Amino acid sequence: MADDGGAKRLKKTSQDGVAIAEVTELRRRVEELRIRNAELESENERLRSDQRGRRREEGNHEVLPAVMTVTVTVDLSRVDTDLITHITSFLGTPRELLDLALTCKSFGWRQPATAFNWSLVEEVARQTVFSRATDAEMGCLPRYVRGVATWLSILHGHEHLLTFDVLLGSNIEHQNGDKTTIYGTGDNESSVAVSCGYVMTSGSHYAEFQISGSSPFIGIVRPMPGLDASAYKEEEFDFIGLFNFFPDFLAQRSDEWGDGNVHACEYNCGDGQKFWTDWEIGHAEWENWEGMEYCETGDTIGMLLNLVEGTLTVYKNNRRLGVMKDGLSGSYCWHAGVGQDGDTVTISKARIPTMAPSSPN
């Protein structure tokens, strides 16, 4: 029995030793983990500290994600030309079409495969001109000549058909460099501007004139491209009231004038009267006419020159006043004049009003 007790004690002692050894090993591993954990916490704290420092230096900006740019190349020669032409037609203005032509050679270079050997942009400009310009306007535009006039330049000309190209007299200027607007710079001394780049020889032509002041006058006059504008810069100027200028005007006569004797005709904004002359010395007519009305600042005067019927019809704020002058034939240009400091006139293209005639106020 004594031996059995000793064996039990030996077995228990052996088990206790194993348990102690296991506990010791566990404690060692726990200590290693504790030390490693402390090291990791220290490293994390250092990293956090470094990050806070960088944020202070960089103004606390967040780091932006990296963006990769992928360039995609499209072979425009594979795209249907008719489709591009149709889409491009919605651009509309010469400036936009020119920008497109500069984008790539597929748009701006000549296309040998086309019937006329010009660029896609030129073809769009040509189509735009023919779709927008009336027959009468086409007659006022330059013709396409390779190397001289492009379709882009012709389209630009159509958009700027009505400008006051020539100033005559000492008291008139363009407003802020805008050739569509003139204003007076003197008192009781008339000066005149002419839209000489738009010569009307046939058909119907309509223009509107926005008025400021009570002294402007607007109307039609014979084209005189050889008239020396600089010769009249220092004095008052008028197409109708200054008889001493009539010989200068008649010296400019051409076959375009035809056989008609109405060489200048004006609507006076101050009282609505019409003035006209055949430039014979001493002849100028100041007349009332049916439908006559005066206008004032803010009014818009429309003028319809019908060279088929030979009439000049006047509109006021889109309301037809009536035919101011008949018996017209030959070629004419629009003109406008100012007589007082601050008088202004702006010329613009417009559609002929379709409203029925109204009785005067």
Side-chain angles (χ1 to χ4, degrees), residues 203-215:
S204 295
H205 304 261
Y206 184 77
E208 287 187 339
F209 302 83
Q210 288 74 47
I211 304 299
S212 177
S214 60
S215 300

Side-chain angles (χ1 to χ4, degrees), residues 211-233:
I211 304 299
S212 177
S214 60
S215 300
F217 46 94
I218 54 180
I220 55 174
V221 67
R222 297 296 191 188
M224 295 180 285
L227 194 67
D228 183 9
S230 63
Y232 308 97
K233 286 292 186 182

